[in-house]
Amino acid sequence: MDLQFTAAQRAFRAEARAWLREHVPATPLASYDTRAGFEQHRAWEATLAAGRYSAVTWPTELGGRGADLIEWLIFEEEYSAADAPLRVNQNGILLLGPTLMEFGSAEQKARFLPRMARCDDMWAQGWSEPNAGSDMAAITSRARLDGEHYVLNGQKTWSTRALFANWLFGLFRSDPASSRHHGLSYLLVPLDAPGITVRPIKALNGTLAFAEVFFDEVRVPLANRIGEAGQGWQVAMATAGFERGLLLRSPARFQRSAARLVALYRRHREQAERDPSIRDAVLKAWMDAEAYNLGSYHTVGRLARGERVGAEASANKIFWSELDLLLHETALRILGSRAELTDDAEAQDWIEGFLFAQAGPIYAGTNEIQRNIIAERVLGLPKG
Ligand SMILES: Cc1cc2nc3c(=O)[nH]c(=O)nc-3n(C[C@H](O)[C@H](O)[C@H](O)COP(=O)(O)OP(=O)(O)OC[C@H]3O[C@@H](n4cnc5c(N)ncnc54)[C@H](O)[C@@H]3O)c2cc1C
């Protein structure tokens, strides 16, 4: 592994840093899980897109910079260091975007990708159903063929920020005789189509952004299908790989939290040192964040040599979600029970992050399922 950055990479870093210094909002935005905060984040996405920083790895003609993955890691480091706002359209940019690039037609790419980069369209992911979460192949939402349209019926659930989204990408059973992984199609659905009801689900922190989506005779043109009819599972699995693998959680985000945790420990040293195991936890969290960073550069190096990230993406997902828990649990141990009673902004930030960290082992495929994948496909153990 070559640990030196090239002159071009250093120049890219300097350019990104200067742009962020000039453009990152001086006051933090409201939570993107509120309507007002969502609109602020959407406006920030448009600013990023105008600077061609919303999707740096995308080709230039689609609004990106054609950056490679090392440059993406560099950009993420600068983005976190600048305390820039959380990204609101990750489902689009990180999940659907790369999927469209791999499986979409030229017309679909031109129609959807530039709008996605600017956050003109906000995308929700519609995979989970009440009886199809970990066992996603149990999907029952149907897409009935009717001339040049599919007619959708059924229900999706746990759809992140679907309350504010105007499009949804999802899997629907298009072959009524099929079962499990077969006969599913990957469809792009406008959420303002007649027959759609979006109903909010209250999250742990009390916000209403998460939603369940109901489909009642919803008509979607065939042109909104990605890939072939019945090929939805393969297309969706490519998207899941992007999500669990490198892209969803860049290491810089955790390094930033680890640095904040060390600063918190130093500020509350007297209280924290009463329990030496807190210092151990701070150290472990900091080292794990560094290890995750080095591991990510290693993975990027492998990808640059033409290797693919396979089932070991599951180990990555377990690592970052457990690291996020450790970071926030340790912060709350330092702050102590008084943290819940103050309106101190720092404590509130850690509590908010702590609540969100609880979801890490669940979304993008639960950690139990990731452990099954590692057991079977990486270690070659027999199926449980
Ligand atoms: C914050 C958040 C955001 C989300 N966003 C989206 C979204 O935008 N779009 C979307 O489609 N979905 C989304 N989800 C849903 C998420 O993908 C599912 O919650 C997840 O796949 C688990 O499915 P489930 O909730 O139905 O739980 P279940 O599948 O019912 O699992 C319940 C428990 O049983 C365990 N379990 C199940 N099967 C096995 C097995 N074979 N071996 C061992 N243990 C097992 C699970 O690990 C879990 O602990 C989101 C979830 C969260 C928490």
Side-chain angles (χ1 to χ4, degrees):
M1 188 158 76
D2 183 0
L3 292 171
Q4 304 303 314
F5 291 111
T6 64
Q9 287 162 347
R10 286 197 298 274
F12 177 82
R13 182 188 292 283
E15 196 188 333
R17 183 177 296 179
W19 188 90
L20 288 163
R21 193 178 299 133
E22 198 176 321
H23 291 89
V24 169
T27 42
L29 308 185
S31 161
Y32 58 8
D33 284 334
T34 61
R35 170 64 67 185
F38 169 72
E39 292 303 338
Q40 291 173 3
H41 281 78
R42 192 210 277 276
W44 167 243
E45 292 288 326
T47 306
L48 276 173
R52 288 192 305 112
Y53 281 111
S54 78
V56 289
T57 56
W58 288 15
T60 43
E61 64 274 19
L62 296 171
R65 288 179 169 255
D68 63 20
L69 286 171
I70 297 267
E71 287 166 332
W72 170 73
L73 284 170
I74 290 171
F75 178 69
E76 289 290 310
E77 285 170 12
E78 293 303 320
Y79 193 87
S80 282
D83 272 334
L86 292 175
R87 306 295 306 275
V88 79
N89 204 6
Q90 283 186 320
N91 274 338
I93 287 171
L94 296 183
L95 304 181
L96 179 59
T99 305
L100 270 171
M101 283 182 216
E102 193 168 336
F103 295 95
S105 65
E107 194 272 331
Q108 287 172 330
K109 289 180 204 176
R111 179 178 170 201
F112 292 113
L113 289 170
R115 290 183 57 83
M116 190 188 293
R118 293 190 301 265
C119 204
D120 292 344
D121 294 326
M122 165 72 190
W123 286 89
Q125 182 188 28
W127 288 1
S128 303
E129 296 182 0
N131 292 311
S134 298
D135 186 15
M136 210 169 75
I139 281 174
T140 59
S141 289
R142 301 175 305 287
R144 186 180 79 242
L145 200 56
D146 181 17
E148 287 301 297
H149 285 79
Y150 283 114
V151 182
L152 310 185
N153 283 284
Q155 179 192 350
K156 297 290 175 182
T157 191
W158 310 130
S159 199
T160 297
R161 249 161 267 120
L163 203 59
F164 307 140
N166 58 325
W167 280 88
L168 171 140
F169 58 94
L171 278 182
F172 296 84
R173 197 161 290 286
S174 53
D175 176 356
S178 68
S179 67
R180 308 295 298 161
H181 314 80
H182 307 283
L184 298 167
S185 292
Y186 196 120
L187 302 179
L188 308 180
V189 187
L191 282 174
D192 59 359
I196 290 187
T197 307
V198 181
R199 221 162 61 182
I201 303 173
K202 196 182 257 187
L204 203 54
N205 64 0
T207 56
L208 292 175
F210 221 20
E212 49 188 350
V213 184
F214 297 85
F215 304 85
D216 180 11
E217 294 287 292
V218 177
R219 296 183 73 78
V220 173
L222 287 187
N224 287 16
R225 189 186 67 219
I226 306 186
E228 299 303 316
Q231 204 200 2
W233 185 263
Q234 290 93 300
V235 179
M237 284 307 104
T239 318
F242 297 128
E243 185 173 20
R244 278 174 209 157
L246 198 61
L247 291 181
L248 183 64
R249 292 288 176 254
S250 66
R253 173 182 175 132
F254 303 107
Q255 288 178 295
R256 187 79 184 147
S257 294
R260 284 176 55 226
L261 182 66
V262 171
L264 184 76
Y265 178 86
R266 290 201 169 117
R267 268 199 305 284
H268 299 267
R269 192 165 216 145
E270 205 175 306
Q271 184 183 335
E273 279 184 346
R274 285 190 201 138
D275 179 353
S277 73
I278 293 184
R279 191 180 55 181
D280 292 350
V282 172
L283 272 175
K284 178 167 167 38
W286 186 86
M287 288 192 297
D288 282 358
E290 291 301 304
Y292 183 51
N293 182 45
L294 290 173
S296 298
Y297 275 102
H298 177 66
T299 304
V300 163
R302 287 175 48 204
L303 290 169
R305 289 195 299 276
E307 295 177 35
R308 286 188 78 93
V309 182
E312 76 265 28
S314 293
N316 200 52
K317 200 256 149 169
I318 293 173
F319 194 84
W320 63 247
S321 56
E322 292 189 345
L323 169 57
D324 208 28
L325 279 173
L326 178 64
L327 284 159
H328 289 88
E329 283 166 3
T330 308
L332 291 204
R333 288 178 68 200
I334 295 171
L335 288 163
S337 51
R338 280 173 306 140
E340 289 173 52
L341 303 174
T342 87
D343 50 11
D344 170 67
E346 183 190 39
Q348 289 305 316
D349 241 29
W350 282 110
I351 289 176
E352 190 73 20
F354 171 80
L355 294 177
F356 186 67
Q358 307 307 309
I362 304 173
Y363 65 81
T366 72
N367 285 10
E368 289 79 14
I369 295 299
Q370 306 311 319
R371 288 193 163 88
N372 286 350
I373 293 172
I374 293 167
E376 289 164 20
R377 294 192 219 152
V378 181
L379 302 176
L381 298 175
K383 267 184 183 293

